Amino acid sequence: MSIQALIFDVDGTLADTEEAHRVAFNLAFERYRLGWVWEPSEYRELLSTTGGKERMARYIDELPLGAAERQRMHMLVPDIHAEKTRFYSSFVNDGAVPLRPGVARLLDEARSAGCRLAIASTTTAINIDKLLQSTLGARGLDLFSVIACGDQVRAKKPAPDIYRLALRGLELPAEQAVAFEDSPNGLRAALGAGLWTVVTPNFWTEDKDFSKASLLLPHLGDPHQPLRGEPGHQLRLSAWLTLPEIVLLAGARWP
Ligand code: XBP
Ligand code: MG
């Protein structure tokens, strides 16, 4: 079987977005005078909960609050999250969140070869729209045949639901697509959907266990930022991950 589509996670994979999310959360907390500040070390831990609203709900559950105050805080989560999304959108609009190395190149390569593109993300549709338009231009959204994201599924990553939704939208079996992820939850979600999965960790996830990844690279690389020790260590064709390499490595798994 051939590879017909590449399915990308967004946060941490297409772009290193989590510092912008973290700052946006803290500005929203300040706006609501909550006295909460998520420092990088705490945010790294909180990232094990996917979804900003779910992340805040978990944080509230871990605070020493009385039942009534805890309930009141939970009721505020959607409004705080909307405020956070406004802050995050402004950072992205200002170009503060560039694509990671090799992403634009591989997207272009795939499109030129007739390989479709899709997204499977936990973040909101508006965050994805803003990021794709600010990094890929007004037609950034049009590059993707399917955008599966946010609250379209009840069970977020590490559940496989969002990847299964993307595959249904593509009308493809998992064997004909490849997933790109950056986190343990994302890897579990993609593998759970039966996808061959490339993992490119980042500052927030580099210390995590990715032993089950189909291919683990520091980033996708490109001619201007070749991957040290490649080709040879894991890649056979170039010092950056290309579509032919993906087909060779992912395609080779079938009898
Ligand atoms: C990563 C997430 C998101 C972001 C914050 O999503 O878990 O929750 O951290 O965005 P991805 P929201 O699957 O793209 O890695 O506040 O919009 O959830
Ligand atoms: Mg991610």
Side-chain angles (χ1 to χ4, degrees):
M1 283 202 207
S2 64
I3 300 297
Q4 299 289 323
L6 306 183
I7 308 175
F8 289 86
D9 162 57
V10 174
D11 293 304
T13 301
L14 284 184
D16 213 343
T17 61
E18 290 299 351
E19 178 59 10
H21 281 301
R22 184 184 73 87
V23 172
F25 276 113
N26 286 333
L27 289 172
F29 300 159
E30 197 178 322
R31 177 69 54 86
Y32 275 79
R33 304 187 192 292
L34 297 170
W36 304 347
V37 178
W38 285 354
E39 298 297 348
S41 54
E42 183 168 29
Y43 191 63
R44 183 190 300 272
E45 179 46 41
L46 286 167
L47 275 172
S48 61
T49 300
T50 57
K53 294 191 293 289
E54 293 78 2
R55 195 166 303 144
M56 283 192 275
R58 167 204 163 162
Y59 180 75
I60 290 166
D61 285 340
E62 293 170 355
L63 288 174
L65 299 173
E69 180 62 1
R70 191 182 310 284
Q71 177 62 18
R72 190 178 77 82
M73 287 290 108
H74 277 297
M75 298 291 283
L76 273 178
V77 164
D79 291 347
I80 301 168
H81 191 252
E83 185 72 10
K84 172 261 174 182
T85 300
R86 278 189 286 277
F87 281 117
Y88 177 77
S89 296
S90 68
F91 298 154
V92 173
N93 279 341
D94 293 347
V97 187
L99 294 179
R100 292 189 65 187
V103 169
R105 172 191 58 76
L106 186 58
L107 294 178
D108 188 49
E109 213 177 283
R111 292 265 303 173
S112 306
C115 179
R116 285 182 292 160
L117 301 173
I119 276 175
S121 170
T122 310
T123 194
T124 58
I126 187 170
N127 286 349
I128 294 171
D129 292 358
K130 297 285 185 187
L131 182 70
L132 294 181
Q133 290 177 44
S134 82
T135 55
L136 296 168
R139 295 178 48 77
L141 273 172
D142 300 342
L143 300 180
F144 294 84
S145 308
V146 171
I147 296 183
C149 64
D151 295 335
Q152 289 176 339
V153 291
R154 201 176 48 74
K156 294 187 175 178
K157 298 174 186 175
D161 302 42
I162 198 75
Y163 276 103
R164 289 184 176 144
L165 181 64
L167 286 167
R168 278 201 302 276
L170 290 162
E171 296 182 346
L172 287 177
E175 294 75 16
Q176 290 189 281
V178 165
F180 293 78
E181 269 290 350
D182 74 299
S183 69
N185 280 333
L187 173 59
R188 281 171 56 199
L191 293 178
L195 287 157
W196 199 87
T197 304
V198 180
V199 174
T200 51
N202 52 54
F203 166 75
W204 301 97
T205 62
E206 61 198 1
D207 59 335
K208 306 297 182 200
D209 172 18
F210 293 116
S211 53
K212 294 192 170 55
S214 312
L215 179 63
L216 179 61
L217 295 170
H219 53 78
L220 299 179
D222 64 26
H224 311 293
Q225 284 185 273
L227 292 161
R228 220 195 347 244
E230 301 296 357
H233 175 51
Q234 296 188 85
L235 305 181
R236 302 182 208 169
L237 305 178
S238 310
W240 47 89
L241 185 62
T242 63
L243 186 64
E245 184 92 48
I246 292 168
V247 172
L248 190 67
L249 296 176
R253 60 182 166 146
W254 295 305

